Amino acid sequence: ILAGFGNLMQDVLWCFSQVKGTIDIGVTEADIISTVEFNHTGELLATGDKGGRVVIFQREQESKNQPHRRGEYNVYSTFQSHEPEFDYLKSLEIEEKINKIRWLPQQNAAYFLLSTNDKTVKLWKVSERDKRPEGYNLKDEDGRLRDPSMITMLRVPVLRPMDLMVEATPRRVFANAHTYHINSISVNSDYETYMSADDLRINLWNFEITNQSFNIVDIKPANMEELTEVITAAEFHPHHCNTFVYSSSKGTIRLCDMRTSALCDRHAKFFEEPEDPSNRSFFSEIISSISDVKFSHSGRYIMTRDYLTVKVWDLNMENRPIETYQVHDYLRSKLCSLYENDCIFDKFECVWNGSDSVIMTGSYNNFFRMFDRNTKRDVTLEASRENSKPRAILKPRKVCVGGKRRKDEISVDSLDFSKKILHTAWHPSENIIAVAATNNLYIFQDKVN
Amino acid sequence: MLGRGLKRKLSDYEENMAGLSSAFDSSRNLPYPLKRQLVLNMCLTKLQTYKMLVEPNLHRSVLIANTVRQIQEEMRQESNQQPISVCPGITPTSHSYTGMESSGISLQLPSGISQQESNCCDLRSVEDPLENSLLIVSDDDMSSAISSILKDLDFVEDISPPTCLVPTGDDQPKFPENTGLKLEDDRQDLKGAECVFGSFEISNSTSYLKDLAIDDIFEDIDTSMYDSDFCCPPLMPPRPPSLATEEPLKTFPSCNSSPASNIQICRTDLSELDHIMEILVGS
């Protein structure tokens, strides 16, 4: 079933499938999930956390005995990607938190992914080993070297099966190219290069070369006191290897073509929506800062997330988005409080489904929202342990704004702002979603009739 | 009610701020200048807090600085249009808050605020803490708050030591000559020998290299063996005597008797710094 294609929102019922992570009341900070990403086939699901670890889940083969249960995701590999570091000159600790993971398309038996913290990008190879060689001539079975003079005959080592072992090895380390904090990485469609973006600069790398990168965007002013805008996210076009976009803290998106010049400081397209004067407040600029930008799978649209909305832009129209969806407009009257407790700076991500017909993003109180672009219907769902019975259908949630609160509604003032869903992922071709709620990873699937 | 000069406890402050911001959100009767003042205070407090961090968040600092600039511009335009401020209960002239750069903001109660009658500012309908927490901030103070935090975020890039690498068998990145094509521009950021330590912060709190006279540290070390034939060209290029006196690299006496050359000051300072860092870090 090519999910999403022709599926209307009212036809899709989302069910709980799995949850990963502990139920402890006190959450260890290191366990907080900081990024979630499916690979290109959806067979693997990777998470990164604040402790610098990467956990990869693999979907098991569907069993014929239980056709109503789609394959479940189980742990495939766990490894420590980044360690905390110390920059001696600036007396700064460099966090090991994984900011982003991006998969490379699979080209052989091994899987490759990029993971990055604030300063360093690493290319990891994840491969399986299910055979091992036995019968070395120069080593005995324990690995100790034999005395060559004692060897009287030669034999050919044979491969014998062993228990499956999944190994993750760092194949490349791309370091020392970012002064500011890396917020995005994006693999190019040529599969030979990728980019990494920090607050002020974007660098282009070749996977084979770790000691050099090309700087393709630099918005650092000569005098830092003149700085008014930073880069917040960047992504390559899914098909055109010369095209990429980056978003800014002022709510603008720039599309750049690398063929025009080596340094892409001048954009080919500039996307900005004129401000709505009726919504103007002291916090207008802060809430316009774009926290995520994603190309649609088709490459025709880009989606941006700012504090209160998700917007879809047509690449051919720069002066305004073609669609705007309100994620949690009831927060508009709470902006001062949200500024005071810093929630206004939370960076929510957004994702497309496989057919670009539905978009999803997170909110507070462990709520997440989906918008069907065709029917214009939307739904609010919750990732919580209470809804975690196998195949339990998720009930839509509603936040009530004004006076009367209905039975199942929750009032704005009762929302838990410490429970925020910043990271979500959608399977590339099926209706399977992964939602990160602090230290727990929820996997939901649509109900198979 | 706190008297003048008495610092408010942090927990009280936080409670007050939470109360103030919900007052902002819920009250429709708060006059605009009061709301603006409240937001301005919150911004400046945040900037001040960030300044005390070793590594402030650049994204947030820029957003907050822009908000301050926006309010600043608005207030400038208003003061250009009217000589008297909109709300007579709060007059900038008599109650300017100075000393923004000093650490911490003490929420002194400017005398007269709570006592002044005002018709347009319905202060009595708001809790007392609202009045107590309002600071009158001058234009210059706002600008200097923005400038100082943004300047602090200007890292000198070429001097980052290499980070701990996982051996991959590939070429290990060397000292960061490899940050693409922008090294020249970065070198121009440095404006002279004293800027080696002036334009970036080793850290806000441990500026020991600036505070101490380097000579004093090494007073008791016998350096006579270095005087004659010990030659370390990268460390000790000859200097023209017109250089600034704040020379942090006087540690090793000059052993090079060749005449002053016209090596670019910045470049030599950087390589000397690299060398010193290597020694200090023991890499």
Side-chain angles (χ1 to χ4, degrees):
Chain A
I1 304 170
L2 190 61
F5 192 69
N7 277 6
L8 301 179
M9 184 63 77
Q10 57 259 37
D11 292 348
V12 177
L13 293 171
W14 288 96
C15 306
F16 171 82
S17 174
Q18 297 169 273
V19 61
K20 310 284 186 190
T22 62
I23 321 176
D24 299 342
I25 298 183
V27 176
T28 320
E29 181 124 346
D31 293 335
I32 295 176
I33 299 171
S34 49
T35 184
V36 189
E37 188 83 356
F38 280 99
N39 76 337
H40 292 259
T41 61
E43 180 203 352
L44 299 180
L45 174 61
T47 61
D49 65 24
K50 271 190 146 189
R53 286 167 306 211
V54 171
V55 180
I56 301 177
F57 302 91
Q58 184 187 43
R59 196 175 182 193
E60 62 182 32
Q61 301 295 330
E62 294 176 18
S63 81
K64 298 192 177 83
N65 300 334
Q66 296 179 310
H68 59 274
R69 249 177 70 165
R70 298 246 208 68
E72 284 194 338
Y73 285 86
N74 297 316
V75 177
Y76 179 65
S77 172
T78 304
F79 56 93
Q80 187 76 31
S81 170
H82 286 70
E83 300 272 6
E85 290 166 30
F86 194 75
D87 180 332
Y88 295 99
L89 194 66
K90 297 173 200 159
S91 286
L92 295 175
E93 202 175 281
I94 300 171
E95 264 194 348
E96 66 275 30
K97 173 170 76 98
I98 308 295
N99 291 337
K100 285 282 163 28
I101 289 174
R102 290 288 182 263
W103 290 93
L104 269 69
Q106 196 174 3
Q107 290 171 312
N108 53 36
Y111 304 101
F112 287 87
L113 61 80
L114 286 175
S115 69
T116 186
N117 68 350
D118 285 337
K119 298 286 187 178
T120 304
V121 185
K122 295 188 184 179
L123 176 69
W124 288 88
K125 174 180 176 183
V126 182
S127 51
E128 294 181 7
R129 191 196 291 267
D130 61 356
K131 299 188 233 319
R132 68 155 183 260
E134 275 181 20
Y136 283 108
N137 291 295
L138 296 177
K139 286 190 287 189
D140 64 20
E141 292 309 317
D142 297 332
R144 280 182 303 219
L145 290 175
R146 282 197 183 133
D147 180 1
S149 59
M150 302 293 288
I151 298 174
T152 53
M153 49 175 258
L154 292 177
R155 55 187 173 160
V156 178
V158 292
L159 291 174
R160 297 218 185 280
M162 58 180 260
D163 290 337
L164 178 66
M165 201 168 74
V166 181
E167 303 175 306
T169 48
R171 301 298 298 161
R172 303 274 188 275
V173 177
F174 305 92
N176 294 330
H178 285 281
T179 303
Y180 303 96
H181 288 188
I182 297 175
N183 51 55
S184 312
I185 46 176
S186 178
V187 179
N188 204 348
S189 50
D190 63 8
Y191 305 152
E192 288 182 3
T193 57
Y194 76 94
M195 70 163 149
S196 55
D198 67 28
D199 291 314
L200 297 180
R201 299 193 173 101
I202 302 181
N203 293 332
L204 181 72
W205 301 85
N206 182 302
F207 280 110
E208 300 302 317
I209 302 171
T210 58
N211 61 355
Q212 237 190 118
S213 67
F214 280 113
N215 175 247
I216 52 177
V217 173
D218 187 340
I219 65 169
K220 182 181 176 191
N223 184 356
M224 276 293 270
E225 294 171 31
E226 295 163 5
L227 181 65
T228 58
E229 194 173 11
V230 299
I231 297 170
T232 53
E235 195 180 50
F236 269 117
H237 191 283
H239 313 309
H240 304 309
C241 56
N242 54 289
T243 303
F244 65 93
V245 294
Y246 68 92
S247 60
S248 83
S249 55
K250 285 199 169 174
T252 65
I253 307 103
R254 287 169 178 81
L255 183 139
C256 299
D257 186 334
M258 293 196 292
R259 296 171 298 189
T260 53
S261 68
L263 188 60
C264 298
D265 276 355
R266 285 162 63 187
H267 49 263
K269 295 196 185 205
F270 182 73
F271 299 85
E272 185 179 29
E273 182 176 25
E275 198 186 345
D276 176 5
S278 64
N279 266 338
R280 177 120 192 91
S281 78
F282 296 112
F283 309 105
S284 290
E285 179 169 330
I286 297 179
I287 63 170
S288 74
S289 176
I290 292 175
S291 51
D292 195 14
V293 65
K294 291 269 173 45
F295 273 101
S296 63
H297 292 92
S298 62
R300 283 193 55 196
Y301 306 103
I302 47 178
M303 167 168 56
T304 58
R305 174 72 155 97
D306 51 63
Y307 191 62
L308 296 179
T309 72
V310 185
K311 295 180 174 150
V312 177
W313 305 73
D314 187 319
L315 283 190
N316 297 320
M317 187 160 73
E318 298 170 52
N319 59 351
R320 61 182 168 81
I322 56 170
E323 295 153 32
T324 300
Y325 301 95
Q326 302 295 332
V327 181
H328 36 217
D329 199 58
Y330 45 79
L331 296 182
R332 199 178 286 275
S333 58
K334 304 275 178 206
L335 290 180
C336 193
S337 308
L338 294 165
Y339 176 61
E340 194 266 317
N341 63 17
D342 282 346
C343 280
I344 210 175
F345 298 113
D346 285 337
K347 294 188 186 169
F348 293 94
E349 294 172 3
C350 52
V351 290
W352 299 87
N353 75 339
S355 60
D356 298 337
S357 61
V358 184
I359 57 184
M360 172 169 68
T361 188
S363 178
Y364 293 104
N365 210 73
N366 278 353
F367 288 170
F368 57 99
R369 304 259 286 137
M370 291 184 191
F371 303 92
D372 188 314
R373 297 179 58 218
N374 299 323
T375 66
K376 302 303 180 197
R377 290 167 65 121
D378 60 83
V379 69
T380 304
L381 301 172
E382 182 181 1
S384 77
R385 291 275 174 175
E386 283 86 53
N387 307 333
S388 300
K389 295 193 180 56
R391 294 184 297 288
I393 297 178
L394 295 181
K395 203 169 56 176
R397 303 301 311 252
K398 193 154 161 58
V399 177
C400 90
V401 190
K404 281 196 163 199
R405 186 178 75 88
R406 294 215 196 105
K407 200 181 74 160
D408 288 332
E409 292 181 355
I410 182 167
S411 77
V412 182
D413 297 312
S414 309
L415 293 174
D416 188 343
F417 288 94
S418 68
K419 292 187 183 167
K420 47 194 90 172
I421 294 192
L422 304 173
H423 313 288
T424 61
W426 204 311
H427 189 286
S429 54
E430 295 182 43
N431 272 348
I432 303 174
I433 56 176
V435 174
T438 315
N439 63 328
N440 286 335
L441 182 72
Y442 288 83
I443 300 175
F444 301 107
Q445 300 182 0
D446 70 346
K447 189 172 170 59
V448 180
N449 293 315
Chain B
M1 184 80 71
L2 295 183
R4 270 185 98 179
L6 198 64
K7 280 198 182 175
R8 189 185 298 268
K9 283 194 296 221
L10 185 63
S11 55
D12 288 344
Y13 172 73
E14 280 171 353
E15 278 174 23
N16 275 331
M17 286 315 288
L20 290 175
S21 36
S22 48
F24 179 109
D25 284 330
S26 51
S27 166
R28 294 180 188 279
N29 296 331
L30 272 182
Y32 181 81
L34 211 63
K35 284 187 169 182
R36 182 173 62 192
Q37 193 63 46
L38 174 61
V39 173
L40 181 61
N41 293 349
M42 288 169 68
C43 291
L44 293 172
T45 309
K46 282 187 191 286
L47 285 180
Q48 195 70 17
T49 311
Y50 292 170
K51 221 174 118 63
M52 293 194 289
L53 293 176
V54 181
E55 195 179 20
N57 183 312
L58 181 61
H59 180 219
R60 289 190 192 187
S61 304
V62 168
L63 287 176
I64 297 171
N66 287 352
T67 308
V68 173
R69 282 194 189 105
Q70 173 199 320
I71 293 177
Q72 194 180 19
E73 187 54 39
E74 222 177 77
M75 287 168 86
R76 259 192 215 136
Q77 284 179 2
E78 275 179 10
S79 64
N80 286 343
Q81 290 162 7
Q82 316 170 352
I84 314 163
S85 73
V86 176
C87 184
I90 304 171
T91 50
T93 49
S94 48
H95 304 296
S96 302
Y97 180 79
T98 55
M100 183 60 79
E101 288 91 0
S102 59
S103 61
I105 294 183
S106 59
L107 298 178
Q108 304 181 35
L109 176 64
S111 66
I113 264 198
S114 60
Q115 286 133 28
Q116 283 198 12
E117 296 295 316
S118 79
N119 296 331
C120 78
C121 300
D122 199 4
L123 292 175
R124 270 172 268 313
S125 68
V126 183
E127 309 117 21
D128 278 342
L130 183 67
E131 310 162 26
N132 295 350
S133 309
L134 290 180
L135 304 173
I136 310 303
V137 183
S138 73
D139 207 48
D140 289 339
D141 293 330
M142 285 192 265
S143 302
S144 59
I146 299 174
S147 313
S148 71
I149 185 133
L150 288 178
K151 257 201 317 224
D152 287 350
L153 289 163
D154 188 1
F155 296 116
V156 169
E157 300 152 40
D158 323 58
I159 315 186
S160 293
T163 50
C164 180
L165 299 169
V166 177
T168 63
D170 300 326
D171 288 338
Q172 297 295 312
K174 298 285 187 281
F175 254 35
E177 305 296 320
N178 57 359
T179 53
L181 317 165
K182 301 297 276 184
L183 280 184
E184 290 309 303
D185 292 347
D186 296 329
R187 296 235 164 92
Q188 285 158 27
D189 285 345
L190 307 176
K191 298 173 196 84
E194 64 271 27
C195 291
V196 171
F197 290 108
S199 64
F200 75 99
E201 297 280 333
I202 299 172
S203 80
N204 286 340
S205 50
T206 59
S207 54
Y208 45 87
L209 282 177
K210 282 190 285 188
D211 292 347
L212 299 173
I214 296 294
D215 282 352
D216 294 342
I217 303 175
F218 294 98
E219 230 169 18
D220 54 348
I221 296 178
D222 174 20
T223 55
S224 54
M225 62 179 282
Y226 299 109
D227 286 341
S228 51
D229 52 357
F230 183 68
C231 209
C232 43
L235 185 63
M236 208 26 48
R239 303 187 169 287
S242 57
L243 256 197
T245 51
E246 261 188 63
E247 181 50 75
L249 299 173
K250 280 199 191 118
T251 310
F252 301 90
S254 173
C255 58
N256 222 324
S257 54
S258 54
S261 67
N262 49 2
I263 299 174
Q264 252 196 36
I265 302 303
C266 296
R267 208 164 273 158
T268 56
D269 284 345
L270 285 175
S271 54
E272 287 168 25
L273 195 58
D274 285 350
H275 193 76
I276 287 195
M277 281 311 303
E278 273 187 73
I279 296 170
L280 287 176
V281 170
S283 58

